[in-house]
Amino acid sequence: MDLGLRGRKAIITGATRGIGRRIADLLASEGCDIAFCARKAEQVAETARDMERHRVQIHGSVVHVRDAEAYKAWLEGAAETLGGCDIFIPNVSAGGGMEGEKSWYRNFEIDLMGTVRGCEALMPALEESDGGAIVFISTTAAVETFLAPMAYNAIKAALITYAKQLSQTTFRNNVRVNTVSPGPIYFEGGSWEQIRADNERLYNSTVAQQPSGRMGTPEEVARCVAFLASPAASWVNGVNLIVDGGFTKRVQF
Ligand SMILES: NC(=O)c1ccc[n+]([C@@H]2O[C@H](COP(=O)([O-])OP(=O)(O)OC[C@H]3O[C@@H](n4cnc5c(N)ncnc54)[C@H](OP(=O)(O)O)[C@@H]3O)[C@@H](O)[C@H]2O)c1
């Protein structure tokens, strides 16, 4: 199946490692031009260099999503540099943590406002596309009780509701909005590698809850994001796609 991604223009936040990196790689390998950001200059440069092998436009920038002004300026500049924007993937998260209000504000500003501000800044460009697509990255920790009553879980849940309601208003202008909610995903340099080192019991009990007996991979999430972002998913709007190998136990009607 041809996903129809060749020549499309994608903007992805947080694409130097993990899920975001695989999304960027996969979209580039399908022929998309890419603009991405992250905070560490060295990793932005390394990622941009590595992705040049796909022979598409690659623009990496050092941007902190929490810096609202710089973030908005980067998004608008990226759409201009690419010559438009067909796909927006706000992938950055502040991650989990139980540091009281500090965690709540961090997740609010980075996970939620990073996504809201991104959609608002890029909507004019997305509406110019012949099929704009936004894919939010939430988590299964938003849909089932997980670990602790963390800001991360609750704020990621807010993203799912926002995506659904936004999708009702944007499709009239040919912009679809969907969410992908991954279960635990293991990769080198990622949070589950850290958890494995710091708390092997938690890591092992999480793997034991996986029907497959293993963690998911960034590639397995990226493939679902690429489909939802593509013209091949033209009639998919407002869904929350759980990508967890059956990790969550609820029955989803
Ligand atoms: N890993 C999992 O098990 C899992 C499970 C469910 C959902 N998710 C979700 O998937 C998404 C990606 O997570 P991940 O675990 O693959 O990767 P990650 O380790 O959270 O890193 C993601 C990327 O974001 C960049 N980044 C982080 N904070 C940033 C900021 N404030 N401004 C700009 N860039 C920033 C990082 O580079 P710099 O550090 O250089 O900025 C990196 O390129 C997140 O939304 C996460 O909540 C992950």
Side-chain angles (χ1 to χ4, degrees):
M1 177 171 67
D2 180 5
L3 294 178
L5 284 164
R6 186 152 300 282
R8 301 193 84 72
K9 293 154 192 332
I11 300 181
I12 307 160
T13 69
T16 56
R17 63 171 180 269
I19 293 168
R21 171 78 178 255
R22 286 308 301 142
I23 294 169
D25 250 331
L26 195 54
L27 291 180
S29 74
E30 290 288 317
C32 290
D33 294 323
I34 305 283
F36 72 91
C37 75
R39 292 165 302 180
K40 296 185 195 82
E42 211 173 292
Q43 290 174 17
V44 168
E46 185 276 323
T47 302
R49 256 195 317 272
D50 179 59
M51 284 181 56
E52 273 166 18
R53 72 197 140 90
H54 297 300
R55 300 187 180 286
V56 291
Q57 281 188 61
I58 303 289
H59 304 281
S61 300
V62 178
V63 179
H64 196 320
V65 161
R66 196 177 197 171
D67 180 344
E69 287 301 306
Y71 178 48
K72 185 168 180 273
W74 169 67
L75 289 166
E76 289 171 353
E80 208 175 304
T81 307
L82 289 172
C85 177
D86 304 294
I87 295 168
F88 175 46
I89 321 278
N91 163 72
V92 163
S93 170
M98 292 284 280
E99 294 177 78
E101 287 201 8
K102 209 168 144 189
S103 293
W104 284 94
Y105 283 113
R106 209 167 41 211
N107 285 112
F108 171 75
E109 282 189 55
I110 294 173
D111 294 63
L112 188 61
M113 291 314 294
T115 299
V116 172
R117 287 174 180 144
C119 291
E120 287 176 359
L122 289 177
M123 200 55 79
L126 286 159
E127 287 176 356
E128 292 278 303
S129 168
D130 60 357
I134 301 172
V135 184
F136 288 5
I137 309 297
S138 184
T139 166
T140 51
V143 303
E144 271 193 1
T145 299
F146 187 62
L147 291 183
M150 286 190 282
Y152 174 79
N153 303 356
I155 300 274
K156 287 288 204 184
L159 280 178
I160 300 170
T161 303
Y162 175 55
K164 178 70 189 180
Q165 300 192 14
L166 190 62
S167 74
Q168 297 298 298
T169 66
T170 58
F171 204 14
R172 201 166 287 277
N173 295 323
N174 218 6
V175 179
R176 295 176 299 106
V177 186
N178 292 291
T179 301
V180 164
S181 291
I185 301 298
Y186 187 91
F187 61 89
E188 218 173 280
S191 55
W192 283 100
E193 185 186 53
Q194 194 60 48
I195 292 169
R196 186 183 206 172
D198 296 345
N199 187 346
E200 207 177 354
R201 235 173 99 181
L202 172 61
Y203 179 85
N204 288 337
S205 78
T206 306
V207 172
Q209 291 169 56
Q210 300 273 7
S212 63
R214 69 166 174 88
M215 289 279 184
T217 66
E219 175 76 25
E220 287 169 314
V221 178
R223 286 200 293 260
C224 298
V225 174
F227 170 68
L228 288 175
S230 77
S234 59
W235 201 233
V236 187
N237 186 38
V239 306
N240 175 28
L241 181 62
I242 305 283
V243 184
D244 70 347
F247 177 70
T248 44
K249 304 297 178 258
R250 73 201 172 122
V251 177
Q252 194 180 356
F253 291 100

